[in-house]
Amino acid sequence: MKELTAKEVQEQLESGKELHLIDVREDDEVAAGMIPGATHIALGNLPIEMHDLDQDTPYILVCRSGGRSGRAQEIMADEGFDVTNMTGGMLAWEGKTE
């Protein structure tokens, strides 16, 4: 399974690279702040809502610490998506939030 650190994701965003981030945390966690431009799909909703996503687009999955996004990675990879887990999650994120 592919992984990027929070710092690597931040550096790519700051360099202007277009990334497709999916935040799989719960609503109350996201309300406290998420990475600008990320899409919120709670892990429990992922099996249904992922079918609205483009399978040709690579996605980076984010949660609080990296565990739930790792589970989301397994779910989406099993359906043929190109997914990468952001290790360390939002606990390791030092960039901007919205």
Side-chain angles (χ1 to χ4, degrees), residues 3 26 43 64 68 82 84 92 98:
E3 294 181 337
E26 296 300 319
L43 180 60
R64 187 181 72 88
R68 280 176 286 175
D82 177 3
T84 300
E98 60 181 23

Side-chain angles (χ1 to χ4, degrees), residues 9 16 36 48 51 63 70 78 86 90:
V9 172
I48 296 165
H51 297 292
C63 71
D78 285 349
M86 186 177 92
M90 291 303 288

